[in-house]
């Protein structure tokens, strides 16, 4: 990733930090409305906030798959 792209993604992560849980799910599901990077930033917060029963303490990629399956995203 180049520097500008990394900085832009960091701002997207910061921007989605204040969203509620329901809003994050809506952002991730809205394919035509938000950019893939913005949806990824929202999914990152969902994965980090997911309960241990869902994630199982796995590495990030596996936790992301489990969270997507759990919420039907």
């Amino acid at each position: 990733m180049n520097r500008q792209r990394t900085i832009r993604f960091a701002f997207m992560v910061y921007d989605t930090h204040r969203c509620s849980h329901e809003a994050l799910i809506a952002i991730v599901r809205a394919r035509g409305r938000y950019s893939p990077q913005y949806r990824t930033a929202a999914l990152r917060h969902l994965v980090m906030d997911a309960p241990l029963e869902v994630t199982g303490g796995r590495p990030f990629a596996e936790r992301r798959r489990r969270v997507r399956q759990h919420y039907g995203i």
Side-chain angles (χ1 to χ4, degrees), residues 1-30:
M1 270 191 212
N2 64 23
R3 183 175 170 88
Q4 290 294 335
R5 189 172 172 188
T6 303
I7 291 170
R8 195 174 329 128
F9 183 70
F11 278 121
M12 290 179 195
V13 170
Y14 175 75
D15 189 40
T16 56
H17 175 70
R18 62 180 178 255
C19 295
S20 68
H21 190 75
E22 293 78 22
L24 291 171
I25 293 172
I27 290 170
V28 174
R29 286 183 176 160

Side-chain angles (χ1 to χ4, degrees), residues 18-59:
R18 62 180 178 255
C19 295
S20 68
H21 190 75
E22 293 78 22
L24 291 171
I25 293 172
I27 290 170
V28 174
R29 286 183 176 160
R31 289 186 173 205
R33 188 169 182 190
Y34 299 104
S35 70
Q37 292 85 9
Y38 195 75
R39 290 175 36 240
T40 302
L43 181 60
R44 186 185 259 336
H45 287 295
L46 282 175
V47 171
M48 292 304 179
D49 294 338
L52 189 59
E53 295 82 30
V54 174
T55 61
R58 298 297 200 166

Side-chain angles (χ1 to χ4, degrees), residues 28 31 39 43 47 54 63-73:
V28 174
R31 289 186 173 205
R39 290 175 36 240
L43 181 60
V47 171
V54 174
R63 288 189 321 215
R64 185 179 61 224
R65 282 190 287 273
R66 288 181 176 206
V67 167
R68 290 179 70 95
Q69 182 181 15
H70 178 73
Y71 292 117
I73 301 172

